[in-house]
Amino acid sequence: MIIIYGSSPLDEKKVDESYEEEYECTKQLGFEVGLINLEDLMVNQRPDLATKRLRNAPEPEDVLYRGWMLKPQEYARLYEALALKDLYLINTPEQYKHCYYLPESYEKIKGHTPRSVWVPMSEVKDSPDAIQTAVSQFGEQPIIVKDYVKSRKHEWKEACFIPSAVDDEHVRQVVHNFITLQGEDLNEGLVFREFVPLEFLSYHDQSGMPLSREMRVFILDGKPVYISNYWDEGQDAAFMEGLGSFMEIARTIESRFFTMDFAKQEGGSWIILELGDGQVAGLPDYADPLRFYEHLKRAFG
Ligand SMILES: Nc1ncnc2c1ncn2[C@@H]1O[C@H](COP(=O)(O)OP(=O)(O)O)[C@@H](O)[C@H]1O
Ligand SMILES: [Mg+2]
């Protein structure tokens, strides 16, 4: 198992400073590490150059990437360039996309996650009523808007939360703000989700968004390998007790390594918030990177 990271934009021989701590942990634990050049991959579209610092494997070998989110097409290019060296990313491009785009895995988590509908950007542009039709299914309920991958949660009132789905003007305004702020980074289309009241923790220091009782679970080959609170410190014993009941769903997810994010409903049970590819999902602020990699190491044997 080789763990690869993006190199620093300033020096190809160094790791991107945002991942320095993780990189040091992997080295400390005796993992083989490698660096790829993300500018060559994403901007110059030269996956061959992006992976030039990695050796050819004598026989097929697993690789795990930890780093910035890649668009499915970029991931596929990376996958192919590495495969030429007999290096195989832990998730195929199909598996990556399965957890990366919410619509891809929605059927698997439906009923355990807020009700969601989506509109591809091509439809948003072609049909002026597409958004209204989509959100009409929520009646007067509050909803949130995001794209197939990300929300603008830190611009909660301006570009994420919509207090009533029937308030056309408000829907239009928040969606407009979301599309404008996402700009070039908008992923594929809009997702509208029923807003579910969550157990409140506090407000975010900088952005003022409401923080709720949320957990991130990394799942490897159908088993939880690392569990962390998302916004706060400590252990959540009640969550740990309930996690088992979600593992049946987790085992249906078409990915070797992914995250499942959970939130506690106000006065209710835990729900799944979203999935992510485990390679590009960040470690929550209070997570312990060394323990994360220790658990991976043990799981890989
Ligand atoms: N349907 C929902 N109901 C209530 N709160 C939500 C809902 N969806 C998201 N949130 C809140 O917004 C935050 C960001 O949403 P999320 O889907 O995780 O987007 P991102 O991919 O940007 O992290 C969540 O951590 C949660 O606090
Ligand atoms: Mg999230």
Side-chain angles (χ1 to χ4, degrees), residues 158-176:
E158 302 75 23
C160 190
F161 180 65
I162 301 167
S164 165
V166 287
D167 185 345
D168 285 346
E169 189 42 42
H170 204 131
V171 171
R172 234 192 311 272
Q173 192 57 53
V174 172
V175 169
H176 171 80

Side-chain angles (χ1 to χ4, degrees), residues 170-281:
H170 204 131
V171 171
R172 234 192 311 272
Q173 192 57 53
V174 172
V175 169
H176 171 80
N177 293 346
F178 177 75
I179 293 175
T180 311
L181 288 162
Q182 283 297 72
E184 289 281 293
D185 294 331
L186 198 142
N187 295 287
E188 296 294 312
L190 301 175
V191 176
F192 296 96
R193 315 194 75 189
E194 165 193 5
F195 172 81
V196 180
L198 303 176
E199 202 174 297
F200 177 78
L201 280 182
S202 59
Y203 290 101
H204 192 271
D205 278 354
Q206 271 101 43
S207 70
M209 79 168 276
L211 304 182
S212 314
R213 195 166 148 204
E214 294 174 35
M215 303 291 294
R216 170 160 286 182
V217 180
F218 285 81
I219 294 168
L220 175 70
D221 293 327
K223 295 193 195 92
V225 274
Y226 189 74
I227 302 168
S228 171
N229 296 21
Y230 202 88
W231 300 112
D232 59 341
E233 284 178 275
Q235 299 286 318
D236 198 315
F239 172 74
M240 298 302 280
E241 268 176 38
L243 177 60
S245 63
F246 286 98
M247 289 316 292
E248 205 173 311
I249 300 168
R251 282 191 288 272
T252 70
I253 304 301
E254 294 157 32
S255 166
R256 280 195 65 190
F257 185 46
F258 63 98
T259 51
M260 229 175 190
D261 289 347
F262 295 89
K264 171 77 169 56
Q265 292 182 87
E266 208 176 72
S269 53
W270 288 88
I271 54 167
I272 302 171
L273 264 188
E274 61 169 345
L275 304 181
D277 187 275
Q279 300 171 105
V280 300

